[in-house]
Amino acid sequence: MNNKIHKHFSEIKKILHKSDSMILEIEKVSNLLKDKIKLKKKIFVAGNGGSFADASHFVGELTATYRSKKRNPLPFILLGNNQAAVTGWSNDYNFDDYLVREFSSLASNGDLLFLFSTSGGNIKQKQSINLIKLAKYAKSKKIFVISLLGKGG
């Protein structure tokens, strides 16, 4: 157990060491999100499992109060939140296609897709296939995609 903890903290140290270069990327993402909000575009967010929970919290903070009760809600939409639709489509058709179906009914030109995935998505290992399909669909519609991915995603 001690070895696993040590390995985990070593990985964190590596990430923190790279943080200066990551600041520029974070600023780019922040500016892109601000631009989309100013243009009154929608920002769609998706994930699976724990990443879905992270996505839900992220959207909740931005549509609710975050720092101030006085600010306007931001146009963030959590995909896959309608469990009746998700389970109905998944039961009758295919889970991997549901997010594309939902997204295609809501997204417009200029909107943005934000993905969370700790598995990073992997076709060979059949991980987050629904998110891979969603990203491909968004790109085919010229909708910008931001991804926070693990495992080399």
Side-chain angles (χ1 to χ4, degrees), residues 61-103:
E61 290 287 358
L62 296 169
T63 57
T65 57
Y66 184 52
R67 289 189 176 177
S68 169
K69 292 179 184 178
K70 295 178 183 177
R71 74 155 177 84
N72 290 327
L74 299 176
F76 285 70
I77 299 166
L78 179 63
L79 295 172
N81 205 32
N82 182 337
Q83 291 305 296
V86 172
T87 58
W89 181 265
S90 299
N91 183 60
D92 295 344
Y93 300 101
N94 182 350
F95 174 78
D96 292 341
D97 298 326
Y98 176 75
L99 291 178
V100 170
R101 182 171 180 79
E102 181 182 17
F103 184 69

Side-chain angles (χ1 to χ4, degrees), residues 9-148:
F9 275 89
S10 292
E11 289 298 316
I12 291 171
K13 286 179 188 176
K14 287 178 191 174
I15 291 168
L16 290 174
H17 184 70
K18 294 180 184 178
S19 65
D20 286 342
S21 63
M22 293 169 65
I23 289 171
L24 292 175
E25 293 301 316
I26 293 167
E27 285 178 345
K28 285 180 190 176
V29 168
S30 298
N31 289 330
L32 181 60
L33 293 172
K34 284 193 309 190
D35 291 345
K36 295 295 182 181
I37 291 165
K38 285 179 186 175
L39 292 169
K40 304 225 183 277
K41 298 299 179 182
K42 297 179 294 293
I43 300 163
F44 295 91
V45 185
N48 290 319
S51 295
F52 179 85
D54 292 338
S56 178
H57 184 205
F58 180 62
V59 169
E61 290 287 358
L62 296 169
T63 57
T65 57
Y66 184 52
R67 289 189 176 177
S68 169
K69 292 179 184 178
K70 295 178 183 177
R71 74 155 177 84
N72 290 327
L74 299 176
F76 285 70
I77 299 166
L78 179 63
L79 295 172
N81 205 32
N82 182 337
Q83 291 305 296
V86 172
T87 58
W89 181 265
S90 299
N91 183 60
D92 295 344
Y93 300 101
N94 182 350
F95 174 78
D96 292 341
D97 298 326
Y98 176 75
L99 291 178
V100 170
R101 182 171 180 79
E102 181 182 17
F103 184 69
S104 69
S105 74
L106 300 169
S108 301
N109 191 17
D111 288 343
L112 187 138
L113 176 62
F114 202 117
L115 301 175
F116 288 78
S117 177
T118 55
S119 73
N122 186 312
I123 293 171
K124 288 181 183 177
Q125 294 180 356
K126 298 182 181 178
Q127 294 174 320
S128 297
I129 301 300
N130 60 338
L131 299 180
I132 293 169
K133 287 183 173 188
L134 181 58
K136 287 180 179 180
Y137 176 83
K139 288 179 180 182
S140 77
K141 297 297 180 185
K142 308 284 191 258
I143 294 174
F144 197 84
V145 179
I146 296 172
S147 302
L148 294 178

